[in-house]
Amino acid sequence: MEKYSQFRDKGTAIAPFLPVPTAPASPLWTPIHVLLFSVRVPAVLFLSLFYFLILEFLPSPQFLRKCVIWVILAVPGVWWVDLQVDGVKRGSVYLHPSLCGPSSQYFVWRNAFAVDRSMRAERGARNRKLHVAVVPEHLPHEGTVIASSFTSPLDPLYLAGIFCPIFTRSYPGTRKVEPISLFKAILLAFSPPVAEPRDPRKLVTLHELKEKNPNSIICVFPECTTTNGRGIMPFSPSLLTVDSKTRIYPVNLRYTPGDITTPVPSSYVSWLWKLLSKPTHYMRVRIARPAYNSPSAESPNGVIAGTGFDTNIFDDPKFRSTGEKAADDEVDDGEQEVLDRIGEDLARLGRVKRVGLGVKEKMNFVQVWGKRRR
């Protein structure tokens, strides 16, 4: 791997483009893997064709679409077992059935009211009154933007099963985005990185997209391409077209095992084998408090950058230097500070570091990687 040392971040030695190797398994498991793969392939193929060729073009309710998406995720054994939301204490979050199924799209918090000390001593204390309240400011909702990490084709599929957002594709050299469908967002994870759009006429700003779709959530992949989940790449300036009142929710998704990530353009067959031949895949979801496109707010998400047990003071934007220019020459210091805040949120949520390698470096890496495989 010495030939790929040039594609390691100089400050952290992280290689965000190298594929995650599959852990070796005993030959005794081979018949089980083959059986799981052969049973799951027809089911996933049928459900995918039904959704993308039929259901997506019909005026079907969101409930039905979410049901099909969650079945597609359930067949390969993708289980969502760990969720954390900034500002919500662990153990006090009770999820609405939408996050375990498609019956709704809100989180629900159940907070027990404080009762009198005398009542606590009595057996009737177990009959405390519970208050169920929807707290939309802790999660993406209508009129907000999701800034998501991008490591696997499962990322847009999961987000569609929960939030039903409008997916977009960002480019490193422009502030505009390209609206894409869920199917194109999935294929984007297998596609090689691109520095410029093929058809600039399809590009719009996030503000324009929000004005046309005020009752929808917009999903942005600000890194512009996939990684292996071990680092956060520099952001596209596309998030800077959001108005200062719109909430931007950083969302980080990670998988165990991590070999179902697609940091380089992968073969569909080999990726399907990794996905469908294993009994289960575990997903970890982290949602930060909303950030805003406003450099005047020092800590709009309620978390001070560079503090905490899992962070390092030298990871603060004031102390680190990526050695790379901003994605757009017109991005000023205040705008770059906004991008740095959201990038630090994603890095904190994923417990990883920010790297200075961008889309151009990945394009060079893909070329070297392709020569190796020939």
Side-chain angles (χ1 to χ4, degrees):
M1 292 297 177
E2 294 181 359
K3 63 185 300 184
Y4 301 110
S5 60
Q6 58 180 319
F7 301 108
R8 290 184 178 272
D9 182 64
K10 295 181 180 179
T12 61
I14 295 174
F17 309 141
L18 288 176
V20 179
T22 303
S26 173
L28 299 177
W29 282 90
T30 301
I32 298 178
H33 293 322
V34 174
L35 177 62
L36 289 174
F37 182 80
S38 59
V39 171
R40 288 171 170 175
V41 164
V44 171
L45 182 61
F46 171 78
L47 291 170
S48 300
L49 292 176
F50 172 72
Y51 182 88
F52 293 109
L53 296 181
I54 300 177
L55 195 61
E56 201 169 38
F57 297 96
L58 297 177
S60 55
Q62 285 191 358
F63 173 81
L64 180 59
R65 295 191 178 193
K66 288 186 176 183
C67 285
V68 177
I69 290 176
W70 275 102
V71 173
I72 294 176
L73 287 172
V75 170
V78 180
W79 301 108
W80 164 47
V81 296
D82 188 9
L83 170 74
Q84 288 188 19
V85 182
D86 278 356
V88 179
K89 186 177 180 181
R90 181 189 289 270
S92 63
V93 179
Y94 290 78
L95 302 180
H96 198 275
S98 67
L99 302 179
C100 301
S103 59
S104 182
Q105 53 181 330
Y106 296 100
F107 290 96
V108 175
W109 274 258
R110 301 176 65 188
N111 301 318
F113 281 107
V115 296
D116 189 77
R117 293 182 179 179
S118 60
M119 294 182 63
R120 295 182 183 180
E122 299 176 359
R123 295 182 179 180
R126 60 184 178 182
N127 296 324
R128 300 171 186 173
K129 294 183 179 180
L130 296 179
H131 175 64
V132 180
V134 175
V135 187
E137 61 268 16
H138 287 92
L139 63 131
H141 52 278
E142 297 177 355
T144 61
V145 175
I146 293 176
S148 175
S149 60
F150 198 19
T151 60
S152 171
L154 298 178
D155 292 351
L157 196 62
Y158 171 83
L159 294 173
I162 293 295
F163 303 110
C164 291
I166 298 175
F167 292 98
T168 62
R169 181 176 185 177
S170 299
Y171 297 91
T174 177
R175 300 190 179 205
K176 294 185 177 182
V177 297
E178 178 184 353
I180 58 177
S181 63
L182 171 60
F183 184 69
K184 289 185 178 180
I186 294 174
L187 294 182
L188 182 61
F190 295 103
S191 304
V194 177
E196 298 179 356
R198 295 182 179 179
D199 189 0
R201 295 174 298 179
K202 297 181 180 180
L203 302 183
V204 296
T205 64
L206 291 177
H207 179 71
E208 295 173 348
L209 191 60
K210 178 187 173 183
E211 290 292 326
K212 295 180 181 179
N213 304 273
N215 297 324
S216 299
I217 302 173
I218 301 175
C219 180
V220 181
F221 301 110
E223 296 174 280
C224 304
T225 184
T226 55
T227 66
N228 56 13
R230 296 178 177 175
I232 300 298
M233 295 171 54
F235 280 3
S236 163
S238 58
L239 290 173
L240 299 176
T241 61
V242 178
D243 60 81
S244 59
K245 296 182 180 180
T246 299
R247 292 170 175 171
I248 305 174
Y249 288 86
V251 178
N252 184 276
L253 305 173
R254 295 189 66 180
Y255 303 92
T256 303
D259 57 351
I260 57 175
T261 59
T262 54
V264 294
S266 303
S267 171
Y268 299 95
V269 177
S270 62
W271 183 81
L272 284 175
W273 168 259
K274 296 176 183 178
L275 177 68
L276 302 179
S277 63
K278 296 180 181 179
T280 56
H281 302 271
Y282 298 104
M283 181 186 301
R284 194 187 75 167
V285 183
R286 297 291 186 270
I287 303 178
R289 282 191 174 183
Y292 298 88
N293 183 17
S294 175
S296 60
E298 295 186 358
S299 183
N301 58 2
V303 180
I304 301 175
T307 60
F309 180 79
D310 296 319
T311 56
N312 191 318
I313 187 174
F314 294 102
D315 292 331
D316 189 277
K318 298 179 181 179
F319 294 96
R320 70 186 302 276
S321 176
T322 62
E324 180 177 320
K325 294 182 180 180
D328 190 347
D329 293 337
E330 298 181 357
V331 175
D332 58 32
D333 295 339
E335 293 174 331
Q336 188 61 42
E337 183 179 354
V338 173
L339 297 178
D340 288 337
R341 287 173 181 170
I342 302 175
E344 289 295 332
D345 273 342
L346 278 182
R348 174 179 56 84
L349 295 175
R351 295 186 178 182
V352 295
K353 303 295 182 181
R354 297 177 62 197
V355 298
L357 303 176
V359 174
K360 293 183 179 179
E361 287 77 12
K362 181 173 179 179
M363 294 172 65
N364 297 332
F365 173 83
V366 171
Q367 293 180 354
V368 176
W369 183 265
K371 294 179 181 179
R372 167 187 174 274
R373 296 175 62 87
R374 293 176 183 174

